[in-house]
């Protein structure tokens, strides 16, 4: 028989209220406002619950405390272990006593209905046929916030076994059922054998949903996965966003998000800070060092993305030198595929529909249809160029004739061309950062855009590596040394927050944050 209490959050209407009150009271416990204090509490918890050592450790106090509470609410006996750890950490303060009172008054969650052995064997037999899908990525997608095992799983049977120890979700489904649904969806594009396995998995899920009287919840999960099929899995990545400070025009608010695993887009927001442009390299280096520490357990090819206002898009941030060890700096673009994204468009939701439309066209087409900038041509007609770009949705990229310099220095008009492309929904743009592009740039750009759009960052990554490893005489003139590439997926939005002290009316805050800076 299978069963457990790994997941108990969300049962009953009081669940979110209890979480909020626990977070509020823990936030008032002396010492937990510091990273070191929260780390000590986590380490004390881990003495009894070893998996607690993997609780994410945020710099922001409330975020860090929320992670602790959510983990303990999901873990069997986790809240009571939290009370015991807190008694050691702070035996006498009023907030600590209040936390222990709240936990003592919390009813134990219902144990999940046991899954009969015969049914467990039936579904694991079907899963054993599937060896070509990413088991750990599917576990990550199905867990949806549950703590994950310390080591990546390698088979779907391992993923199923891990989730079989979890309690029912708030919608009443077993997490194993959600995993099965994800596997079935992953088989939909395969051959006849995959189709038969997917049908068997869905039939098994239908039987469990009937037994648990959760047919509507299963239908909702199935429909949600059908909608997501058009979205490509997000890569592991770090997203760095710069926004000019309202308080100091010479400084920028640097925000960042981390997508720790390939799969559904669930970025974790980090702490914001104010920086000058000169301070950006050191800040990015620290962010990547922390991310690499968390990525150390598994292989992968993470991506680095810069979400920038238009005035910064011509900055060659991909060639920023970073040192992961003393006296050994290398350019960012040699370690990571680096692409640019538009801050203004991300915030302008009235243009997102057409952005989604063109992105879908890009994914569905074998080649990347391009609208070539005509700025500088004898017969350049800006109105005609803009009209054609707007009217013909097949264009999913533009190649600029000159770099899009800030408006006051934009003699060629390429800044205006880029802005028009962004608001027409064009997800990709390419240009040479030099004042005058070489004669063969158009030919090089055509070659770069040939092939599947989704593979553009990897092609650019290779071109930049070619530039860095070219012979000394060609290194600085190689097109890869001067290439700027905007690659902007509308399915992977991050939230925007203004600089401290700015007017934030009508602007969304950060990912699961409550106004902290």
């Amino acid at each position: 028989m299978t069963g457990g209490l790994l997941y108990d959050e969300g049962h009953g209407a009081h669940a979110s209220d209890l979480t909020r009150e626990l977070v509020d009271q823990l936030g008032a416990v002396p010492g937990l406002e510091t990273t070191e204090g929260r780390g000590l509490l986590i380490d004390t918890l881990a003495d009894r619950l070893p998996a607690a050592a993997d609780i994410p450790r945020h710099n922001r106090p409330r975020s860090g405390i929320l992670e602790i509470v959510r983990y303990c609410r999901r873990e069997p006996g986790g809240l009571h272990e939290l009370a015991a750890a807190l008694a050691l950490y702070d035996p006498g303060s009023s907030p600590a006593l209040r936390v222990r009172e709240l936990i003592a008054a919390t009813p134990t969650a219902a144990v999940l209905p046991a899954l009969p052995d015969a049914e467990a064997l039936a579904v694991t037999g079907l899963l054993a046929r599937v060896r070509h899908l990413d088991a750990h990525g599917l576990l990550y997608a199905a867990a949806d916030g549950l703590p994950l095992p310390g080591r990546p799983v390698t088979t779907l049977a391992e993923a199923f076994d891990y989730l079989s120890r979890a309690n029912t979700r708030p919608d009443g489904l077993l997490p194993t059922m959600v995993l099965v649904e994800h596997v079935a969806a992953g088989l939909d594009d395969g051959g006849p054998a995959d189709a038969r396995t997917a049908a068997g998995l869905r039939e098994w899920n239908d039987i469990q949903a009937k037994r648990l009287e959760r047919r509507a919840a299963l239908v909702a999960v199935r429909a949600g996965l059908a909608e997501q099929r058009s979205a490509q899995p997000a890569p592991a990545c770090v997203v760095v966003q710069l926004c000019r400070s309202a308080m100091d025009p010479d400084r920028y608010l640097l925000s960042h998000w981390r997508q720790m695993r390939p799969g559904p887009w669930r970025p974790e927001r980090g702490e914001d800070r104010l920086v000058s442009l000169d301070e950006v390299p050191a800040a990015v280096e620290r962010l990547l060092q922390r991310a690499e520490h968390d990525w150390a357990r598994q292989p992968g090819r993470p991506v680095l993305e810069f979400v920038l206002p238009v005035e910064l898009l011509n900055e060659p941030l991909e060639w920023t030198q970073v040192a992961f060890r003393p006296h050994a700096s290398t350019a960012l673009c040699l370690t990571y595929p680096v692409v640019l994204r538009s801050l203004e468009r991300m915030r302008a939701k009235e243009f997102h529909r057409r952005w989604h439309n063109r992105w879908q066209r890009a994914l569905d087409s074998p080649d990347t249809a391009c609208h070539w900038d005509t700025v500088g041509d004898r017969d350049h007609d800006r109105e005609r160029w803009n009209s054609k770009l707007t009217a013909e949705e097949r264009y999913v990229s533009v190649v600029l004739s000159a770099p899009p310099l800030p408006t006051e220095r934009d003699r060629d008009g390429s800044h205006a061309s880029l802005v028009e492309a962004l608001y027409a929904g064009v997800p990709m743009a390419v240009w040479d950062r030099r004042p005058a592009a070489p004669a063969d740039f158009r030919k090089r750009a055509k070659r770069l855009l040939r092939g599947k759009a989704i593979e553009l960052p990897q092609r650019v990554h290779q071109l930049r590596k070619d530039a860095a490893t070219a012979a000394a005489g060609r290194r600085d003139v190689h097109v890869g040394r001067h290439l700027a590439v905007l690659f902007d997926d509308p399915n992977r939005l991050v939230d925007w927050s203004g600089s401290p002290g700015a007017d934030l009316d009508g602007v969304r805050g950060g990912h699961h944050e409550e106004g902290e800076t």
Side-chain angles (χ1 to χ4, degrees):
M1 307 289 277
T2 59
L5 277 174
L6 192 70
Y7 189 109
D8 73 349
E9 187 174 25
H11 294 277
H14 67 285
S16 60
D17 292 338
L18 176 61
T19 298
R20 186 179 299 109
E21 190 163 2
L22 287 171
V23 171
D24 289 343
Q25 295 298 329
L26 283 168
V29 171
L32 291 187
E33 75 280 2
T34 68
T35 304
E36 294 78 10
R38 294 189 299 279
L40 178 58
L41 180 60
I42 290 173
D43 292 341
T44 306
L45 258 177
D47 291 340
R48 297 287 297 273
L49 299 173
D54 293 329
I55 295 174
R57 308 191 184 206
H58 293 271
N59 291 327
R60 295 188 176 192
R62 190 170 182 85
S63 299
I65 290 169
L66 178 59
E67 292 283 6
I68 295 171
V69 171
R70 292 184 69 209
Y71 170 81
C72 291
R73 295 212 63 192
R74 295 169 179 151
E75 191 68 14
L79 287 180
H80 295 286
E81 295 296 348
L82 174 60
L86 194 60
L88 288 173
Y89 179 87
D90 179 358
S93 74
S94 295
L97 291 172
R98 176 58 180 155
V99 168
R100 296 203 289 275
E101 289 172 1
L102 287 167
I103 292 172
T106 302
T108 303
V111 177
L112 65 85
L115 185 64
D117 287 344
E119 298 198 26
L121 286 171
V123 73
T124 52
L126 288 169
L127 293 173
R129 302 177 188 174
V130 183
R131 299 178 182 177
H132 57 289
L133 298 183
D134 175 14
H136 195 73
L138 288 167
L139 171 61
Y140 174 59
D144 193 24
L146 280 171
L148 293 178
R151 296 179 180 177
V153 301
T154 57
T155 67
L156 289 171
E158 289 179 43
F160 185 90
D161 180 65
Y162 182 79
L163 289 180
S164 71
R165 299 190 294 273
N167 204 0
T168 51
R169 297 166 16 125
D171 60 5
L173 292 179
L174 306 181
T176 47
M177 295 172 64
V178 181
L179 174 67
V180 167
E181 206 61 39
H182 275 272
V183 175
L187 295 172
D188 280 341
D189 292 327
D194 282 351
R196 287 192 295 271
T197 302
L201 290 169
R202 290 192 173 108
E203 182 181 357
W204 184 90
N205 252 354
D206 289 337
I207 293 170
Q208 307 314 311
K210 183 178 180 180
R211 181 171 68 89
L212 298 173
E213 299 181 350
R214 289 293 181 268
R215 176 65 185 171
L218 179 61
V219 169
V221 169
R222 195 168 285 170
L225 288 174
E227 291 178 3
Q228 291 175 16
R229 286 191 64 202
S230 62
Q232 292 288 321
C237 67
V238 171
V239 181
V240 177
Q241 177 178 284
L242 293 174
C243 177
R244 191 182 292 275
S245 167
M247 304 296 290
D248 182 351
D250 293 327
R251 295 174 73 78
Y252 290 83
L253 182 73
L254 187 150
S255 305
H256 75 280
W257 293 260
R258 299 190 306 176
Q259 169 87 356
M260 296 313 299
R261 300 173 182 84
W265 181 237
R266 295 191 181 99
E268 303 169 1
R269 179 157 187 173
E271 187 175 12
D272 297 343
R273 58 176 300 182
L274 278 173
V275 297
S276 66
L277 282 180
D278 290 341
E279 294 170 329
V280 169
V284 171
E285 181 180 283
R286 286 192 293 272
L287 296 180
L288 291 173
Q289 286 174 338
R290 288 201 291 269
E292 289 290 359
H293 182 271
D294 292 333
W295 282 324
R297 293 177 177 172
Q298 56 193 21
R301 293 181 175 82
V303 175
L304 177 59
E305 302 180 348
F306 286 99
V307 181
L308 303 175
V310 173
E311 79 248 21
L312 292 184
L313 285 175
N314 204 49
E315 293 290 328
L317 293 177
E318 68 274 12
W319 290 97
T320 298
Q321 297 289 314
V322 294
F324 289 111
R325 56 191 178 91
H327 315 299
S329 62
T330 56
L332 285 173
C333 62
L334 299 188
T335 305
Y336 308 98
V338 182
V339 295
L340 306 174
R341 305 184 66 186
S342 167
L343 173 63
E344 287 89 351
R345 180 166 61 187
M346 195 170 292
R347 297 173 58 195
K349 290 189 176 180
E350 61 271 28
F351 299 101
H352 285 197
R353 177 187 58 78
R354 60 192 76 174
W355 185 14
H356 276 283
N357 287 350
R358 294 200 195 233
W359 179 257
Q360 191 57 54
R361 281 202 171 233
L363 295 182
D364 293 341
S365 302
D367 286 309
T368 308
C370 182
H371 192 45
W372 298 85
D373 192 9
T374 57
V375 165
D377 293 355
R378 184 182 305 173
D379 57 349
H380 173 60
D381 181 338
R382 174 155 299 282
E383 182 178 351
R384 183 173 181 270
W385 190 86
N386 291 344
S387 298
K388 189 173 182 180
L389 179 65
T390 303
E392 298 198 30
E393 207 171 58
R394 65 187 180 88
Y395 291 130
V396 297
S397 66
V398 297
V399 174
L400 302 180
S401 302
L405 300 175
T407 308
E408 64 275 11
R409 295 189 288 135
D410 185 36
R411 295 171 300 177
D412 300 299
S414 290
H415 178 279
S417 297
L418 179 60
V419 170
E420 290 293 338
L422 290 173
Y423 290 115
V426 175
M428 287 166 274
V430 175
W431 65 92
D432 191 299
R433 287 196 171 100
R434 288 170 286 191
D440 66 343
F441 175 64
R442 188 181 180 99
K443 181 176 69 174
R444 294 259 186 182
K446 280 184 177 180
R447 188 180 307 160
L448 181 70
L449 293 171
R450 190 179 302 138
K452 292 182 179 180
I454 199 69
E455 297 170 355
L456 178 61
Q458 301 302 327
R459 294 197 294 271
V460 175
H461 185 42
Q462 184 59 53
L463 197 60
R464 287 168 174 160
K465 289 193 291 185
D466 291 345
T469 57
R474 289 192 43 78
R475 202 171 300 151
D476 289 338
V477 298
H478 193 289
V479 68
R481 183 64 181 81
H482 304 279
L483 192 69
V485 176
L486 183 130
F487 182 83
D488 211 354
D489 183 346
N491 297 304
R492 298 196 289 108
L493 303 182
V494 293
D495 292 340
W496 182 87
S497 63
S499 56
D503 179 8
L504 300 181
D505 289 345
V507 179
R508 286 186 72 195
H511 178 70
H512 294 308
E513 300 294 348
E514 297 184 14
E516 296 177 283
T517 58

